[in-house]
Amino acid sequence: MEITFEHVTHSYNADGPTASLGLDDVSLTIKDGLFTAIVGQTGSGKSTLVRHINALLKPTSGIVKIGSRVIDSETSNKNLKSLRKQVGMVFQFPESQLFEETVEKDIMFGPINFGATEDQAKESAQKMIQMVGLDESYLSKSPFDLSGGQMRRVAIAGVLASDPETIILDEPTAGLDPVGRQEIMDMFKGLQKNGKTIVLITHNMDDVANYADDVAVIHSGKLIANGLPKDIFNNNDLLKNDLLTLPKSAEFAKKLSQKGFSFSKLPITIDELGTEIKQQLNGD
Amino acid sequence: MGRYLPGDSLIYHLDPRGKFLLTFYFVGIVFFANNVASYALLLAFVLFAVYLSKINFGFFIKGLKPVFWLILFTVILQLLFTPSNNPIWHWGIFTLSKEGMVISAYIFMRFILIIFISTLLTLTTTPIEISDSIESILKPLKRINFPVTQVALMLSIALRFVPLLVDETTKIMDAQRARGVDFGEGGLIKRIKSFVPILIPLFVSSFSIAYDLAIAMESRGYKDGEGRSKYRVLSWARRDNLTIIFMIGLTIILLFLRSY
Ligand SMILES: Nc1ncnc2c1ncn2[C@@H]1O[C@H](COP(=O)(O)OP(=O)(O)O)[C@@H](O)[C@H]1O
Ligand SMILES: [Mg+2]
């Protein structure tokens, strides 16, 4: 499903005296099957942007197209279930959404709301718990007896269980340990390989470099850049104004270039960096 | 009523104790008004106070929103059920009369006056200032061993966490909506059931917030009871005396204008 924002403006408390602009005339296309990263400072409007994709928020003006669905300011709050089944959303700190007696029931909650039978939901729970790296013995535990990282995984399983076509991730690895974060990121990349569209909000530029096909940079509610990670991280205007930081590999390459190396474009992943260094050393 | 709105004007600088008590006092004297002149006087006073606060009038209108239906209901009730000897219109149990119209206009005015003045208090006074005032006002009760400081602390913590819980509720509702919950759809049982996925996470997070807070307070050496000094010191100034004098003046004129 392709997702298109056309001149979307969102104003919080639009009718009150405290109106504040969350998004300002954003036009953006999120391509089907790609891994799109959304970056920007805290408060820049990233969460506001993605909440439009499953109509938790509606544009104050402009339209959002999700496949064949069109959402504008007039869209009714009813009949959004089919859209929300297609667009799964993992919120920031999703562990706070857990409420059932057992992990299994919690994972089944979404599928059943979206019309799956008990058996289908159970099957889905068994599949998803393994997908997020926990074994089936967790299914019968109470979600409140788990560690923070395990709760996070269960919450993610609960969103994936409804088998959404598009998966939105709002800082899904914030506060996780490095190994856990890599496992979870790899799992998301795997989902993309199986045909899902992934939208990831993150502050981790290494994740952007390693996993994303496309990057959108948001600043003060505006889309200020959109393109390939490699191009975005070589955009000097963004870097100069501190609107973006570099991934570690690019940072390292920058230091190398002060010591005699030269890069036409900064490499952004370890692999790219390694290849470049090897070439330049052999070339000498 | 509304959330505190940061600002800077005379009303903001008044001592919160004075503001708090005078607001209650004003709500009390609203019930003394009983004719056009006395209501006009009180309305003029409220509008003057709103003007002094330098707050956009829209915030006060917004304060009416949550009680809009209550006001409408009460006013219509008065309008149609006030008994009268010379009704303008009469149908079954309904009576429309001049007296009814006057009474419902007065009731409407009472609502407006009370809501505007309490909105003014909550917009210009932080919850912390309000709980400090309550503590200060209740201080004499210490003599009969009433735990004033503890109650005030509980109150200020509770007030501090209201906005936090509101945000948390919105967040959890959004998360469950994304998992296919329809709030406010289906029959009564279904609607009640749909609140379970909100209430449980809300309880869990409230307890964990409370627990974290208790540990944070203890590790910074909090001990309840005597001998704690105050970070925010309330100070009574000349302008507060003047406000009281102004209020006394208002009361005298009010008593003079009302009909007996
Ligand atoms: N519920 C809300 N009510 C009012 N303003 C909000 C609300 N949510 C977010 N905002 C404001 O909108 C802006 C963008 O917020 P958000 O989309 O959450 O940013 P990000 O996810 O990039 O950190 C911020 O200035 C924030 O204060
Ligand atoms: Mg956010």
Side-chain angles (χ1 to χ4, degrees), chain B residues 142-175:
Chain B
K142 263 187 188 161
R143 260 189 236 145
I144 57 164
N145 286 331
F146 183 78
V148 174
T149 31
Q150 284 89 328
V151 168
L153 180 75
M154 273 165 55
L155 196 67
S156 59
I157 291 176
L159 287 170
R160 168 67 188 78
F161 282 98
V162 167
L164 216 68
L165 285 180
V166 171
D167 289 349
E168 189 71 16
T169 312
T170 331
K171 203 194 125 186
I172 293 169
M173 279 178 84
D174 273 353

Side-chain angles (χ1 to χ4, degrees), chain B residues 226-250:
Chain B
E226 296 311 305
R228 289 181 59 76
S229 58
K230 287 241 165 239
Y231 174 60
R232 298 170 301 271
V233 181
L234 301 176
S235 65
W236 192 267
R238 214 166 69 113
R239 54 174 175 257
D240 298 303
N241 286 329
L242 290 178
T243 317
I244 291 197
I245 293 171
F246 193 78
M247 210 55 154
I248 293 173
L250 182 82

Side-chain angles (χ1 to χ4, degrees), chain B residues 82-96:
Chain B
T82 306
S84 164
N85 293 329
N86 49 356
I88 303 171
W89 174 82
H90 192 84
W91 185 76
I93 50 170
F94 303 115
T95 321
L96 190 66

Side-chain angles (χ1 to χ4, degrees), chain A residues 248-250 252-254 256 263 267-278:
Chain A
K248 288 198 195 75
S249 309
F252 191 72
K254 222 169 145 187
L256 284 179
F263 301 93
I268 57 171
T269 62
I270 299 264
D271 288 348
E272 283 176 27
L273 178 66
T275 322
E276 281 269 357
I277 293 179
K278 216 154 99 189

Side-chain angles (χ1 to χ4, degrees), chain B residues 1-5 11-12 19 23 27 46 50 53 55-67 111-125 130:
Chain B
M1 275 176 260
R3 278 196 199 182
Y4 175 73
L5 184 79
I11 306 283
Y12 280 92
K19 259 194 283 185
T23 301
V27 170
V46 168
V50 167
S53 75
I55 295 176
N56 183 336
F57 197 63
F59 285 97
F60 293 88
I61 301 295
K62 220 180 142 205
L64 291 175
K65 253 193 193 162
V67 283
F111 271 115
I112 298 276
L113 291 171
I114 292 173
I115 289 166
F116 277 13
I117 201 78
S118 37
T119 305
L120 185 68
L121 176 72
T122 50
L123 286 177
T124 61
T125 320
I130 292 187

Side-chain angles (χ1 to χ4, degrees), chain A residues 50-86:
Chain A
V50 298
R51 275 173 170 67
H52 282 81
I53 303 177
N54 65 353
L56 285 174
L57 294 177
K58 286 177 282 181
T60 310
S61 68
I63 60 171
V64 184
K65 287 187 199 156
I66 305 108
S68 55
R69 272 301 270 267
V70 178
I71 305 288
D72 61 17
S73 59
E74 306 290 310
T75 305
S76 143
N77 282 329
K78 300 219 164 92
N79 306 321
L80 292 172
K81 256 194 190 178
S82 62
L83 174 65
R84 289 185 182 152
K85 185 188 173 318
Q86 289 172 329

Side-chain angles (χ1 to χ4, degrees), chain A residues 81 92 96-97 106 109 113, chain B residues 171 175-176 179-182 201:
Chain A
K81 256 194 190 178
Q92 235 165 322
S96 68
Q97 73 190 31
D106 211 285
F109 181 67
N113 282 331
Chain B
K171 203 194 125 186
Q176 308 300 24
R179 292 207 281 169
V181 179
D182 275 324

Side-chain angles (χ1 to χ4, degrees), chain A residues 222-234:
Chain A
K222 292 192 181 69
L223 178 73
I224 54 167
N226 180 209
L228 299 175
K230 185 127 195 179
D231 295 336
I232 296 288
F233 288 124
N234 279 284

